[in-house]
Amino acid sequence: MQQKLQKILILICFLKCFTSCDAVKRVAEDEHLLTDNTVMINGEKDKSETINDLLYQKPNGKIPLLGIPLRLHIYNSARPNRDSLYEVWLNKNPKRIERLRKRYSKKQVDKIKESTLGFNQWLKKTGEAPVIVSDEKTKKTVKRIQDYHINNGWFDVKTEYDISENDNKRAEVEYKVETGKAFIIDSISETIKSPIVDKLYSNIQKNALIKPNQQYRTANIDQERDRISSELRNSGIYHFKQDYITFEMDTIGTNKKINIDIKIQDRAIRTEDSVINKPFEIYKIRDVNIITDYTFENRGKPFQDSISYNGYKLYSYNKMRFKPKALTDAVFINPGGIFKDIDRTRTYRHLNELRTFKYPNIEYIENADKTLTDTIRLTPLKKFNLGFSADVSQSNIQSVGFSLNPSLLIRNIFNGAETLEISAIGSIGASKDGKEEDDPFFDINEYGVDFKLTIPRLFSPFYTEGIIPKYMLPNTRISLSTTSQTNIGLDKQTFSGVFNYNWRPNKKVTNRLDLFNIQYVRNLNIDNYFRIYENSFQSLEDVALDTYNTPSEFIGTDPNGNPILIEEKADEFINLVLNDRGFESTNPTEYKTVNGIDERKERLTENNLILSSSFNFINDERTNLFDEDFSIFRFKLELAGNILSSASNLLGLKKDSNDRYELFNVAFSQYIKTEFDYVKHWDLGNKNVLAIRSFLGIAIPYGNSNSIPFSKSFFAGGPNDNRAWNPYSLGPGSSETTNEFNEANLKLTLSAEQRFNIFGNLNGALFVDAGNIWNVLDNVEEERATFTDFDALKDIAVGSGFGLRYDFSFFIFRFDVGFKTYDPSYRDENRWFNDYNFANAVYNIGINYPF
């Protein structure tokens, strides 16, 4: 290992020496390449991202760790005047053009030139031109640094710079800043002319963003101006604008302290030849008119229908197609209420959420009696919207597959702004193996249909406005779906129905409450189990051929004459072994293996009936899609089977042989499941981001269940999990299972990823993933697969690696290479770095970031 590190260090040193000469290849003799910026603030070096962002000139970007300016070298590899050089080369020998045109057509010769020059242009575009030290830009940086400190309270700041030019056409710039003592806010007073504004200001003063004894910051002043203006406009002051607020600051003879006077002027009314100042007044909303079917062509025409509802007036050029309550529930501007700017914002937002209208138009008209008339013009979208998509796919199950996905969206289906989405799927595919001679080429098929109704309010017999007000954009979703699959695994029929509420208390928080979520899964071809789970059959066959005294009727031969366990006899063989108490005492390990295979087969082939309720909470701190300094917290709690269990007890239903209640001959599942997921990103600047993720999930069966349904269990590994293991291949615990799909009911995951830009839209990443799954409080007794105490944490698997990402703007293509760094499946030897090589690496392809 040490020799490898030495070789890597020697290679890095060689690359640095080789590339250092090439760095100034395109730098003129009287110019200097900028290699470093140093900012000294009060004698100490400042490397913060805030100060770095103030610099007009920064050195060419370098690959992290290696320190090589790759994009600069790509740029330098391009010829500066490739087009003229090409013409010189082409015309230097007159026979050259003649030969080229004899061998190729004139069009092909032009294409050769175009491709040659195009590649040269690509090098220039992909690369990065050398950053040449500019005295003018350096002075602009000094001014920007000075302004920054003044805006943050250091009014006496002094700034200078020094450029150190070297003989090798390189230069460094040092900025020296002496801030002096920061100015502190001493007192804050107000001069407010309008009495009503003065009264309102006294009510909002307690939430002020500037306070005595704070260091002065211009940003706080600007934010306070925004806050005051917003509060006043939400308190009925219709004509108020930020321009009416000024801050006068006195620093004369105050010993580095600032006295601030907040001045709020009267309203200025401009006439043709003068400006009249009058006190502000509170405006109320007199009328709210809603035009439900406005179009440009309809303007000026008489209305054919009108309705008055709760003070609102609704108009329609044609017959009214909407229930009044459906529209008024989406309008926050109330007749008789005072003017509030936030009511208009919420109305825009809620009307857009209905997905029924184009962007609405909201207009206020001032009346002579100091009231406002609000007119909301709504243009309905088309009632029906038809969608259609097709897909061609390939997987480890099928060699080729085709699917069709038609969909229909119906708006305002019940005249209450509801939307109904009907979507269907139909697919066929050709399986890779397992076909009989008479089977058709396309032997896989799936079809299904999904209905989803969205109601723009909480559909409930109870009054919910006091608990979840309408500004939280509540809605109700009811969905029903069914699918049928054949020749895919065990072949399944599924049915699901969901009734849930959704609401958003603010821009960051999203809540979802599933009152009812019913799922029914029926396996149609359980006899195909050992063809699908071949590893389980192989383990069973090993016991049959190597350990157990298997009767001859269970043994057959393959085409080569080798003995095999007859697949159709597998279940009989399992029963034979499990009823043999003598074999259990003499071969406990093999007996345990067969018992585990039987328990797993029983669980994966049984039909599932799940009736659950759940609550999901998401707090997303992102301000926009480009924010790279945020956190996301997700929480989920799910309870299943309690209603059915209580009903079974009340009805006195009988239990089956496994002491479980059944409904429609299916034992329903009963469990509690919870998940915690936390993601945090730190923006380190220069397109460098540190991202971490932690996840904890546990599902505990009880009552009518002693295990968790496969669809509700956890798995580890894969492109969005521990990337050094394939999906379902890690765990549980330190067990050396050979199952195709490993899953359990407890999961812990920790991941960290350093993301950085290589050049252009190509980014890189270094990552470490840790985690595993375990069985806990269920029917699995394998010691190495269960979490019994905190000693089980030593079985947390660790993977590390690197990746490349290319940003296509609308999605990110991701390629990761994961190495098994700490593998808990190694029992008696060191678990570190046993398979840390490319031969045992896992290669992952994904879309977008894993977290």
Side-chain angles (χ1 to χ4, degrees):
M1 188 70 178
Q2 188 174 1
Q3 289 181 345
K4 288 183 179 180
L5 289 175
Q6 288 177 349
K7 291 179 180 178
I8 292 172
L9 289 174
I10 292 172
L11 178 61
I12 292 173
C13 292
F14 173 76
L15 287 174
K16 281 200 169 188
C17 293
F18 178 76
T19 56
S20 62
C21 300
D22 182 66
V24 294
K25 182 177 179 181
R26 304 298 179 200
V27 178
E29 290 299 326
D30 59 340
E31 295 178 337
H32 290 80
L33 178 72
L34 179 62
T35 58
D36 191 26
N37 284 320
T38 304
V39 181
M40 304 295 295
I41 298 181
N42 298 326
E44 295 184 2
K45 186 180 291 187
D46 192 312
K47 295 183 178 180
S48 67
E49 184 62 26
T50 301
I51 296 299
N52 186 62
D53 286 342
L54 300 175
L55 306 179
Y56 272 98
Q57 280 192 307
K58 300 175 186 178
N60 293 95
K62 299 176 181 179
I63 298 177
L65 302 178
L66 298 178
I68 298 174
L70 178 60
R71 291 189 66 192
L72 173 60
H73 294 302
I74 292 175
Y75 182 89
N76 287 342
S77 65
R79 303 290 290 271
N81 302 304
R82 184 60 176 163
D83 50 351
S84 59
L85 290 173
Y86 181 85
E87 293 294 340
V88 170
W89 171 82
L90 191 63
N91 298 318
K92 187 175 182 180
N93 187 346
K95 294 183 178 180
R96 179 173 293 151
I97 300 178
E98 188 178 342
R99 286 199 307 269
L100 287 173
R101 288 182 176 174
K102 282 183 178 180
R103 185 177 302 177
Y104 308 104
S105 66
K106 182 180 183 301
K107 188 176 181 180
Q108 288 175 319
V109 173
D110 292 339
K111 282 290 183 182
I112 294 172
K113 176 183 176 180
E114 185 180 324
S115 60
T116 303
L117 299 181
F119 179 70
N120 197 69
Q121 286 300 116
W122 179 85
L123 291 174
K124 285 185 178 182
K125 185 178 179 180
T126 304
E128 182 182 44
V131 179
I132 306 300
V133 175
S134 167
D135 195 59
E136 181 184 350
K137 291 183 178 180
T138 304
K139 290 178 181 177
K140 289 175 68 176
T141 296
V142 169
K143 180 66 167 58
R144 183 183 277 183
I145 292 175
Q146 191 169 9
D147 291 343
Y148 166 79
H149 284 88
I150 291 173
N151 286 327
N152 283 278
W154 290 284
F155 294 162
D156 299 329
V157 62
K158 296 179 180 179
T159 310
E160 58 184 26
Y161 70 92
D162 179 54
I163 300 176
S164 300
E165 298 179 349
N166 302 322
D167 295 335
N168 57 0
K169 296 198 291 187
R170 292 171 171 81
E172 299 177 359
V173 181
E174 183 180 44
Y175 301 92
K176 298 179 181 178
V177 183
E178 293 295 331
T179 64
K181 186 177 179 182
F183 279 65
I184 304 298
I185 297 174
D186 186 28
S187 65
I188 302 173
S189 58
E190 305 86 28
T191 303
I192 304 174
K193 292 191 175 182
S194 296
I196 190 65
V197 174
D198 189 24
K199 183 178 180 181
L200 291 172
Y201 181 81
S202 63
N203 295 330
I204 65 175
Q205 189 176 11
K206 60 180 180 294
N207 297 321
L209 301 177
I210 54 172
K211 297 178 181 179
N213 300 319
Q214 279 185 347
Q215 182 173 332
Y216 170 85
R217 300 188 192 280
T218 302
N220 291 346
I221 298 293
D222 294 338
Q223 290 173 11
E224 178 65 2
R225 181 183 286 109
D226 292 343
R227 187 191 72 86
I228 294 172
S229 177
S230 177
E231 291 280 6
L232 294 178
R233 285 187 61 81
N234 287 324
S235 301
I237 311 300
Y238 172 67
H239 290 289
F240 197 86
K241 299 177 183 178
Q242 289 187 15
D243 297 343
Y244 289 114
I245 306 172
T246 58
F247 293 80
E248 291 190 0
M249 286 163 278
D250 179 20
T251 60
I252 300 175
T254 58
N255 191 24
K256 308 291 184 183
K257 293 188 177 180
I258 304 176
N259 297 315
I260 299 178
D261 184 25
I262 303 175
K263 293 181 177 291
I264 302 180
Q265 305 296 328
D266 278 343
R267 177 190 172 192
I269 303 175
R270 289 174 173 81
T271 62
E272 291 183 0
D273 53 0
S274 64
V275 176
I276 302 173
N277 294 314
K278 288 187 176 181
F280 284 101
E281 297 184 59
I282 291 178
Y283 277 65
K284 288 188 175 182
I285 307 297
R286 187 173 72 182
D287 300 303
V288 179
N289 302 319
I290 304 174
I291 302 175
T292 64
D293 56 353
Y294 176 82
T295 62
F296 185 78
E297 294 78 13
N298 284 337
R299 72 192 190 285
K301 293 181 180 180
F303 296 113
Q304 301 297 319
D305 200 355
S306 64
I307 297 176
S308 294
Y309 179 81
N310 284 349
Y312 294 91
K313 298 175 182 178
L314 289 79
Y315 300 94
S316 177
Y317 292 102
N318 299 293
K319 183 179 179 181
M320 188 73 65
R321 291 166 43 199
F322 298 91
K323 294 178 181 177
K325 189 176 188 308
L327 299 183
T328 57
D329 278 354
V331 176
F332 292 81
I333 304 167
N334 299 310
I338 64 171
F339 164 80
K340 293 182 181 180
D341 214 21
I342 193 173
D343 288 343
R344 175 161 48 181
T345 303
R346 287 173 172 170
T347 300
Y348 275 125
R349 183 182 172 199
H350 207 144
L351 287 171
N352 285 326
E353 287 286 328
L354 295 179
R355 299 169 59 195
T356 303
F357 305 98
K358 296 179 181 178
Y359 195 76
N361 175 270
I362 300 177
E363 180 184 10
Y364 287 99
I365 297 176
E366 184 178 356
N367 303 310
D369 59 351
K370 309 300 181 185
T371 62
L372 299 171
T373 295
D374 177 55
T375 300
I376 303 173
R377 295 177 176 88
L378 303 176
T379 303
L381 294 168
K382 291 182 179 180
K383 187 176 183 67
F384 299 97
N385 186 44
L386 186 63
F388 186 83
S389 65
D391 186 33
V392 179
S393 61
Q394 189 273 339
S395 68
N396 60 336
I397 297 176
Q398 58 185 17
S399 55
V400 64
F402 302 92
S403 65
L404 300 176
N405 302 91
S407 63
L408 175 65
L409 175 66
I410 307 175
R411 298 183 176 92
N412 194 36
I413 186 170
F414 301 120
N415 296 331
E418 306 91 349
T419 58
L420 176 64
E421 297 175 71
I422 306 172
S423 59
I425 181 175
S427 65
I428 57 174
S431 62
K432 287 187 174 181
D433 47 36
K435 288 186 181 182
E436 302 294 339
E437 285 188 12
D438 297 333
D439 286 346
F441 178 76
F442 291 108
D443 59 337
I444 294 176
N445 67 76
E446 179 181 6
Y447 55 90
V449 64
D450 180 31
F451 298 86
K452 183 185 295 182
L453 176 67
T454 301
I455 304 172
R457 55 195 170 275
L458 296 188
F459 187 71
S460 169
F462 308 105
Y463 179 75
T464 58
E465 176 70 19
I467 303 173
I468 303 176
K470 66 179 184 179
Y471 76 82
M472 295 185 182
L473 304 179
N475 67 64
T476 304
R477 289 181 182 169
I478 305 171
S479 66
L480 296 171
S481 64
T482 181
T483 60
S484 179
Q485 301 172 342
T486 57
N487 284 351
I488 304 176
L490 302 178
D491 297 345
K492 292 183 178 181
Q493 286 181 341
T494 63
F495 171 83
S496 64
V498 181
F499 184 100
N500 64 49
Y501 295 141
N502 303 269
W503 69 96
R504 297 201 294 270
N506 53 57
K507 292 181 179 179
K508 298 178 180 179
V509 175
T510 302
N511 294 308
R512 169 176 167 170
L513 175 64
D514 284 9
L515 286 181
F516 302 103
N517 188 332
I518 185 168
Q519 300 177 50
Y520 173 67
V521 180
R522 179 189 177 197
N523 294 301
L524 304 176
N525 190 11
I526 61 176
D527 292 336
N528 201 36
Y529 179 82
F530 285 116
R531 294 189 186 95
I532 303 301
Y533 298 93
E534 294 178 354
N535 290 342
S536 294
F537 182 77
Q538 184 62 54
S539 299
L540 191 67
E541 188 176 57
D542 290 342
V543 173
L545 300 179
D546 301 336
T547 309
Y548 196 76
N549 186 19
T550 307
S552 58
E553 63 265 23
F554 291 91
I555 304 299
T557 56
D558 63 13
N560 297 322
N562 300 315
I564 60 171
L565 175 64
I566 299 174
E567 188 177 292
E568 290 75 12
K569 297 282 188 177
D571 289 331
E572 293 183 45
F573 177 72
I574 290 174
N575 294 330
L576 182 67
V577 173
L578 295 183
N579 290 322
D580 192 339
R581 298 304 174 189
F583 183 74
E584 180 182 7
S585 60
T586 57
N587 298 83
T589 301
E590 287 75 11
Y591 183 89
K592 196 172 184 180
T593 298
V594 176
N595 188 60
I597 292 172
D598 183 59
E599 289 180 347
R600 180 175 172 81
K601 179 178 180 293
E602 181 71 22
R603 189 162 75 91
L604 296 185
T605 58
E606 70 176 356
N607 298 331
N608 295 131
L609 177 61
I610 305 171
L611 177 60
S612 65
S613 300
S614 66
F615 174 73
N616 287 266
F617 170 87
I618 301 176
N619 184 45
D620 190 341
E621 297 288 338
R622 282 178 294 190
T623 56
N624 54 63
L625 292 175
F626 306 102
D627 187 7
E628 283 295 356
D629 196 60
F630 65 89
S631 64
I632 302 175
F633 175 72
R634 300 181 180 91
F635 167 74
K636 179 180 180 179
L637 177 64
E638 181 179 2
L639 295 168
N642 294 335
I643 295 177
L644 296 179
S645 179
S646 300
S648 299
N649 282 324
L650 291 174
L651 296 174
L653 299 182
K654 294 182 180 180
K655 295 184 177 182
D656 62 10
S657 58
N658 294 318
D659 197 33
R660 298 188 301 177
Y661 290 114
E662 287 187 346
L663 188 64
F664 305 118
N665 296 320
V666 179
F668 59 84
S669 299
Q670 190 172 9
Y671 60 85
I672 179 172
K673 180 180 181 180
T674 186
E675 298 175 5
F676 299 88
D677 192 0
Y678 179 74
V679 174
K680 173 65 179 174
H681 286 204
W682 288 274
D683 190 348
L684 306 179
N686 295 326
K687 297 184 179 180
N688 280 270
V689 176
L690 176 62
I692 65 168
R693 183 203 180 194
S694 58
F695 176 88
L696 173 63
I698 185 172
I700 301 175
Y702 65 95
N704 211 55
S705 299
N706 57 15
S707 64
I708 299 298
F710 182 84
S711 62
K712 297 293 182 177
S713 59
F714 301 105
F715 73 92
N720 297 320
D721 198 79
N722 198 322
R723 284 162 277 187
W725 278 263
N726 287 312
Y728 292 97
S729 65
L730 175 59
S734 62
S735 59
E736 297 173 294
T737 177
T738 57
N739 293 324
E740 290 84 356
F741 301 100
N742 297 304
E743 39 79 39
N745 63 329
L746 170 64
K747 180 177 181 177
L748 176 64
T749 297
L750 301 166
S751 294
E753 184 169 286
Q754 175 68 51
R755 300 166 185 169
F756 52 87
N757 180 253
I758 299 176
F759 61 79
N761 293 324
L762 182 63
N763 301 295
L766 301 173
F767 61 83
V768 177
D769 300 322
N772 208 333
I773 56 173
W774 294 268
N775 288 93
V776 60
L777 301 175
D778 62 1
N779 60 353
V780 176
E781 299 177 358
E782 171 61 42
E783 182 178 351
R784 298 181 67 194
T786 58
F787 192 100
T788 54
D789 52 43
F790 286 106
D791 286 341
L793 294 177
K794 69 179 183 296
D795 295 333
I796 291 179
V798 179
S800 58
F802 63 90
L804 297 173
R805 293 95 164 82
Y806 192 86
D807 190 349
F808 286 95
S809 296
F810 51 94
F811 75 92
I812 293 172
F813 176 81
R814 176 164 53 92
F815 174 73
D816 290 327
V817 183
F819 302 93
K820 294 178 176 64
T821 309
Y822 178 88
D823 190 346
S825 66
Y826 282 88
R827 183 173 299 186
D828 300 322
E829 54 186 294
N830 181 23
R831 296 176 170 184
W832 290 97
F833 302 106
N834 289 298
D835 297 317
Y836 201 88
N837 50 61
F838 283 97
N840 292 292
V842 174
Y843 301 89
N844 298 283
I845 293 177
I847 300 298
N848 296 328
Y849 289 110
F851 52 87

